[in-house]
Amino acid sequence: MSIPRLPLKSLDDALAELLGHATTLTGVEQITTFDGDGRVLAQDMVSALHVPPQDNSSMDGYAVRCADVRVAGGVLPVSQRIPAGASGQGLQAGTVARIFTGAPIPAGADAVIMQEECEPLGDAKPDQGKLGSVRIKSVPQPGQWIRRAGEDVTRGAVVLSKGARLTPASQGLAASIGLSTLPVVRRPLVALFSTGDELVMPGDIAPEHMPAGAIYNSNRFFLRSLLRRLGCEVTDFGIVPDRRDATIDALREAALQHDLILTSGGVSVGEEDHIKPAVQTLGELDLWQIAIKPGKPFAYGKIRRAAAPAAGGDMCHFIGLPGNPVSSFVTFLLLVRPFLLRLQGGQRVAPVATAMPAHFDWPRADKRREFLRVRRNAAGGLDLFPNQSSGVLTSAVWGDGVVDNPAGRTILRGDTVQFISFVELMG
Ligand code: AMP
Ligand code: MG
């Protein structure tokens, strides 16, 4: 049998094509703001109020009229006390207000003097309601220690945009404008399959009893976790049955209930396996050779649904990842991650790279764009994991990111390279 020559695709072209298929899922869920982390907003969130709602003090101290404090060392009576949560009265001229952080600035006051610069004279008589007087040791600047109303958010402003992926900080911001629930795109439903007759599940066979040629299924573990981190609901079907008809049945069944079927292994050129013909029988399949290392083979397809469920249309996406663990891992991060974020309506799907100095040499240029596993060192540079083979998963554990190295480029110690942190790629 002749091995088909597949077109070599650039990563950018592959990503653009893949994102072109990633129509945002229909279906919006209203979730509690507490559960927003990692989800993608389905609508713009507009603030119905200013944050903070009114001018307030950013210090414990005394609210004053600057006109009353022209020189340091003067003494003024305290006419009221305004703790956080209270609202004071207009500040009488020639007096100051005892005020605490977060308390509203009384009308007429135009500065706060921090308590460290004030000296109460000890003439207060709390039981008689007398607040005493205070010596003011510094001359205030108008506006000092006042947080202005609307300084964080103004009424009517779009605070969080449709397509934004929520973070803990955005949950806090949503809460600060009074939102107890948020509309987010529903979770993608993903069916995960592993392929390969050599695969054994940890726990099924002890290491000392592993038959020759068998290996543990490692991809299943990181793929399931990566999918979950991206907000997916995962049905893990384990290892694909090794018969054609059983594979077709399993995929047809999975397609009915899921938005994406993700497989690892069995997409190499010329490999005999059941997944490819099964997907072709049920829909369509494109095999790509992507010009990256690790991670060359990749498959994208669509499986037609016999019965179209209400939400999700009449097609289920299919993505086949390479089997080599590091290829599978890197390809997931570079292609499947943006695809899944876009399915949820995410706008910012590309990872951000940082320019950093290489503290290693990479003398052998490759024809393909490479993603080298590296780690930041204390000297502000990048160290390289010595074994960059696509089967060496240790490199992805030792490393804290990858260098995105263009095709044909060698690296000399001290060269500036593009570093993409795993934090960027795995969140
Ligand atoms: P394949 O893409 O199926 O040709 O597999 C390429 C290499 O990856 C082979 O050495 C497989 O044994 C290995 N491999 C495939 N799937 C897995 C998996 N789930 N876990 C670990 N290694 C795998
Ligand atoms: Mg295989």
Side-chain angles (χ1 to χ4, degrees), residues 318-332:
F318 172 88
I319 291 179
L321 293 172
N324 274 308
V326 188
S327 306
S328 206
F329 187 73
V330 168
T331 316
F332 183 98

Side-chain angles (χ1 to χ4, degrees), residues 194-196 198-199 215-220 264-268 271 297 321-325:
S194 315
T195 78
E198 72 280 28
L199 299 180
I215 57 163
Y216 287 118
N217 184 349
S218 49
N219 298 0
R220 183 175 179 184
S264 85
V267 287
S268 321
E271 169 158 343
L321 293 172
N324 274 308

Side-chain angles (χ1 to χ4, degrees), residues 331-347:
T331 316
F332 183 98
L333 299 179
L334 297 175
L335 290 164
V336 183
R337 178 181 181 276
F339 179 82
L340 287 167
L341 290 177
R342 190 52 65 78
L343 273 192
Q344 294 170 78
Q347 289 309 300

Side-chain angles (χ1 to χ4, degrees), residues 193 240-241 243-255 261 274-282 303:
F193 288 89
V240 192
R243 286 171 299 114
R244 171 79 57 97
D245 53 348
T247 303
I248 291 178
D249 288 348
L251 294 185
R252 183 191 284 123
E253 192 62 27
I261 295 175
H274 301 303
I275 286 270
K276 283 185 287 188
V279 177
Q280 276 154 347
T281 306
L282 296 167
I303 295 179

Side-chain angles (χ1 to χ4, degrees), residues 163-411:
R165 193 145 173 250
L166 297 168
T167 62
S170 36
Q171 288 172 278
L173 190 58
S176 80
I177 61 168
L179 302 176
S180 62
T181 64
L182 293 168
V184 296
V185 176
R186 72 172 174 84
R187 294 181 183 281
L189 307 175
V190 181
L192 179 62
F193 288 89
S194 315
T195 78
D197 292 345
E198 72 280 28
L199 299 180
V200 167
M201 279 302 287
D204 285 357
I205 301 180
E208 61 273 25
H209 298 128
M210 283 288 271
I215 57 163
Y216 287 118
N217 184 349
S218 49
N219 298 0
R220 183 175 179 184
F221 288 80
F222 62 71
L223 290 174
R224 196 198 284 193
S225 292
L226 288 169
L227 287 165
R228 291 221 172 114
R229 281 193 177 199
L230 288 164
C232 301
E233 220 159 83
V234 184
T235 317
D236 190 334
F237 286 90
I239 298 166
V240 192
D242 63 359
R243 286 171 299 114
R244 171 79 57 97
D245 53 348
T247 303
I248 291 178
D249 288 348
L251 294 185
R252 183 191 284 123
E253 192 62 27
L256 282 180
Q257 309 292 344
H258 297 88
D259 303 301
L260 167 68
I261 295 175
L262 183 70
T263 65
S264 85
V267 287
S268 321
V269 184
E271 169 158 343
E272 194 49 54
D273 85 315
H274 301 303
I275 286 270
K276 283 185 287 188
V279 177
Q280 276 154 347
T281 306
L282 296 167
E284 60 208 60
L285 183 71
D286 280 335
L287 285 175
W288 299 343
Q289 294 284 71
I290 301 173
I292 56 169
K293 196 176 172 182
K296 193 160 68 166
F298 185 90
Y300 174 78
K302 286 182 170 149
I303 295 179
R304 276 186 292 276
R305 292 188 177 116
D314 60 353
M315 289 281 196
C316 172
H317 300 280
F318 172 88
I319 291 179
L321 293 172
N324 274 308
V326 188
S327 306
S328 206
F329 187 73
V330 168
T331 316
F332 183 98
L333 299 179
L334 297 175
L335 290 164
V336 183
R337 178 181 181 276
F339 179 82
L340 287 167
L341 290 177
R342 190 52 65 78
L343 273 192
Q344 294 170 78
Q347 289 309 300
R348 189 180 160 270
V349 300
V352 175
T354 319
M356 286 192 71
H359 286 181
F360 60 88
D361 292 314
W362 186 248
R364 290 159 293 137
D366 199 277
K367 288 204 289 287
R368 289 182 272 159
R369 179 170 168 186
E370 290 179 287
F371 290 88
L372 307 168
R373 273 77 67 214
V374 295
R375 167 156 113 180
R376 282 170 287 195
N377 61 34
L382 297 170
D383 294 330
L384 181 75
F385 191 75
N387 187 341
Q388 293 286 326
S389 156
S390 61
V392 176
L393 203 49
T394 310
S395 66
V397 174
W398 181 93
D400 64 0
V402 289
V403 163
D404 179 357
N405 192 41
R409 179 85 51 93
T410 56
I411 298 171

